[in-house]
């Protein structure tokens, strides 16, 4: 665990990750789509989002790179489509890092439990770096 690179695409995640898996001779990637995630009836999932990739990862020479498509309506601009993900199994460590990183920055998702993590949040720090903070066993 530690810092992972997270790359976001505008609907081409599956093709890009399959290409990278072939180029680096990694394991076959497993994809989770937005349509496969638990749905909230108060916020129906747009039809155009159902087949987009919500999350996948590749391990290249012991380094993990994570990938996803952006959600419709949140266009990716090349240059801001890479974020850093701090992953830890220590909730106190995650909370401390989140509190420090958000000083002078902008929080887009407060730390909270999600269906994929006991503790997850996102922000842009005061230097313009996008961060994802996530608990993982």
């Amino acid at each position: 665990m530690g810092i992972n690179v997270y790359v976001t695409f505008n609907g081409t995640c599956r093709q890009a990750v399959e290409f990278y898996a072939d180029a680096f001779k990694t394991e076959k990637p497993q994809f989770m789509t937005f349509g496969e995630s638990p749905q909230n009836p108060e916020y129906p999932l747009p039809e155009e989002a159902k087949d987009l990739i919500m999350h996948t990862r590749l391990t290249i020479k012991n380094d993990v790179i994570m990938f996803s498509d952006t959600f419709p309506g949140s266009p990716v601009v090349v240059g801001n489509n890479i974020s850093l993900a701090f992953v830890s199994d220590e909730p106190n460590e995650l909370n401390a890092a989140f509190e420090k990183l958000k000083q002078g920055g902008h929080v887009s998702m407060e730390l909270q439990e999600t269906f994929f993590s006991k503790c997850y949040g996102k922000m842009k720090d005061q230097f313009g770096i996008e961060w994802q903070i996530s608990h993982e066993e």
Side-chain angles (χ1 to χ4, degrees):
M1 299 203 208
I3 304 291
N4 299 128
V5 175
Y6 206 107
V7 183
T8 306
F9 295 91
N10 254 337
T12 59
C13 182
R14 183 181 301 273
Q15 298 92 321
V17 172
E18 287 173 345
F19 174 79
Y20 300 144
D22 183 49
F24 295 106
K25 306 299 181 216
T26 70
E27 75 284 359
K28 182 178 164 91
Q30 296 184 0
F31 297 98
M32 177 184 211
T33 64
F34 285 104
E36 293 169 326
S37 67
Q39 303 299 303
N40 181 340
E42 294 180 30
Y43 302 99
L45 187 66
E47 192 61 39
E48 65 270 21
K50 291 183 179 177
D51 292 329
L52 294 175
I53 304 303
M54 182 177 171
H55 181 75
T56 190
R57 65 174 68 199
L58 291 177
T59 302
I60 302 171
K61 290 288 191 183
N62 299 319
D63 289 320
V64 174
I65 303 174
M66 298 182 282
F67 306 88
S68 70
D69 280 315
T70 190
F71 199 77
S74 302
V76 169
V77 176
V78 174
N80 76 352
N81 61 322
I82 297 176
S83 62
L84 299 177
F86 177 54
V87 181
S88 174
D89 60 356
E90 296 290 332
N92 291 337
E93 185 176 46
L94 295 170
N95 282 309
F98 191 87
E99 289 302 313
K100 186 68 175 178
L101 287 168
K102 77 179 191 179
Q103 293 176 8
H106 172 75
V107 174
S108 54
M109 183 177 183
E110 288 288 347
L111 280 179
Q112 58 191 272
E113 186 169 341
T114 67
F115 73 92
F116 58 86
S117 175
K118 290 181 184 176
C119 182
Y120 178 82
K122 295 182 351 180
M123 98 272 299
K124 182 184 289 188
D125 71 20
Q126 62 184 311
F127 304 104
I129 302 300
E130 298 276 347
W131 289 92
Q132 298 182 54
I133 308 296
S134 186
H135 181 271
E136 193 172 292
E137 296 293 333

